[in-house]
Amino acid sequence: MPFTLSERHIDSYHQLGYSIFESVLPAALIADLRRVTDAARELARRKQGPQAQRLQPVSAYDLDQKPFIDYAELAELNDAIHALLSEEHEHGDRDHLGILLEPAELPWCTAWHRDWRDNLPGLDLARWDAGCRDPALFNQVNCALYEDSSTWVVPGSHLRPDLPREMERFPDRPINTPELKGLSYEERERTCLQYVLSMPEAQQLHLATGDYCLYRNTLWHIGNYVPYRLRATLHDSVYTPAYREWSVRETKAASHRLEAGASISNPDRRD
């Protein structure tokens, strides 16, 4: 049955900060994308080591690009995005699109974060705060090719500043990941989960195969990963021309603010 956007999807997006388009990818496209992401997993581990968690952007690598083009052009998915956001919004840009993968050897997690604010030095926080409530900005995607429950969020946090209990839990910026050095596999797994659960009101997102999760990356969110859960999730942003221009400008400006030789991560490439 073709996917149909409903009021439930619209309400979830605005109130909770995410909306899941259930089973929107057709089975044949899932098969094609699994084939190419299997190759991407091997390529990522050869280039980055066994703990590689992503390959991005897909256009930069010797991969069959047709499945990614078919994903970007999927009519019912584009119809849903346009109905929920606007006709200006586009997804599937292969110069940005990435693949999120499971680590090969050891569990690990990211830090709890709210994109842009927590990883872009000197960002205009007034503009970021206004953008939290502006659906033209800060839209990110996880599209699961296998069941994926790696992402956790604090629903509704895109609509507000940090609460006192959140500031008490994470008083310092940047927020640190948990200390994992010297821990066994099982200790790392437990430490990561305890860190995830230490955030008040944290909830786990469950994506079935073929689900497309559109979420505000200004939500509190985190990724928690274990090797025994196969993962190949398309990681993307949904841009308007104005938002793309703003994101490029702000990223370049932040880079200039850093000392020579320092590095900066792309704020839309977290999770």
Side-chain angles (χ1 to χ4, degrees):
M1 180 180 297
F3 173 79
T4 302
L5 189 75
S6 69
E7 289 298 320
R8 172 177 60 85
H9 295 100
I10 296 170
D11 290 346
S12 178
Y13 170 80
H14 289 291
Q15 296 173 15
L16 303 180
Y18 64 89
S19 185
I20 299 174
F21 302 170
E22 299 89 350
S23 302
V24 69
L25 297 190
L29 179 55
I30 292 170
D32 290 342
L33 287 166
R34 282 178 170 179
R35 172 180 51 78
V36 72
T37 56
D38 282 348
R41 180 181 293 102
E42 296 304 314
L43 180 59
R45 290 175 180 171
R46 284 200 306 270
K47 288 182 172 292
Q48 304 170 30
Q51 288 297 102
Q53 184 260 336
R54 74 173 66 217
L55 197 74
Q56 189 171 15
V58 297
S59 64
Y61 297 94
D62 184 17
L63 297 168
D64 180 3
Q65 298 293 308
K66 187 176 186 305
F68 302 121
I69 295 171
D70 293 342
Y71 161 77
E73 295 178 350
L74 185 62
E76 62 189 77
L77 179 50
N78 281 292
D79 288 346
I81 292 169
H82 294 158
L84 179 58
L85 297 175
S86 79
E87 292 290 334
E88 283 194 299
H89 282 85
E90 299 178 346
H91 85 126
D93 179 356
R94 288 176 293 123
D95 289 334
H96 177 81
L97 176 65
I99 306 160
L100 303 180
L101 307 162
E102 81 283 1
E105 295 181 351
L106 294 170
W108 73 283
C109 66
T110 69
W112 275 104
H113 61 281
R114 302 176 76 170
D115 282 11
W116 293 94
R117 184 200 70 175
D118 292 337
N119 58 350
L120 204 70
L123 181 71
D124 179 353
L125 292 181
R127 175 63 170 144
W128 178 87
D129 185 61
C132 285
R133 291 174 292 277
D134 183 351
L137 307 174
F138 305 139
N139 289 294
Q140 195 156 275
V141 170
N142 283 0
C143 184
L145 305 182
Y146 300 92
E147 289 186 4
D148 188 353
S149 299
S150 304
T151 302
W152 294 66
V153 301
V154 178
S157 56
H158 65 302
L159 296 173
R160 57 165 176 78
D162 296 350
L163 298 178
R165 63 179 181 267
E166 295 165 349
M167 292 187 284
E168 181 180 358
R169 172 62 186 91
F170 297 110
D172 300 322
R173 297 293 186 275
I175 296 171
N176 292 320
T177 56
E179 179 55 56
L180 302 176
K181 186 176 181 180
L183 299 184
S184 69
Y185 183 109
E186 290 75 18
E187 289 169 336
R188 288 173 66 104
E189 182 179 9
R190 177 165 295 180
T191 298
C192 286
L193 182 58
Q194 289 173 339
Y195 174 87
V196 169
L197 294 173
S198 73
M199 170 64 83
E201 306 300 326
Q203 293 187 20
Q204 192 171 20
L205 293 184
H206 299 283
L207 303 183
T209 298
D211 284 358
Y212 181 103
C213 181
L214 176 67
Y215 63 100
R216 308 305 307 281
N217 61 23
T218 50
L219 277 171
W220 277 115
H221 62 285
I222 190 174
N224 187 35
Y225 315 105
V226 289
Y228 56 78
R229 291 198 190 103
L230 181 64
R231 192 183 198 212
T233 293
L234 302 182
H235 189 55
D236 198 2
S237 290
V238 181
Y239 286 109
T240 64
Y243 174 42
R244 187 186 301 276
E245 180 182 342
W246 180 86
S247 70
V248 170
R249 183 174 67 249
E250 287 295 330
T251 302
K252 287 181 178 178
S255 295
H256 293 155
R257 288 191 291 265
L258 292 173
E259 294 181 357
S263 63
I264 183 170
S265 61
N266 186 314
D268 278 337
R269 294 187 184 176
R270 296 289 298 272
D271 182 15

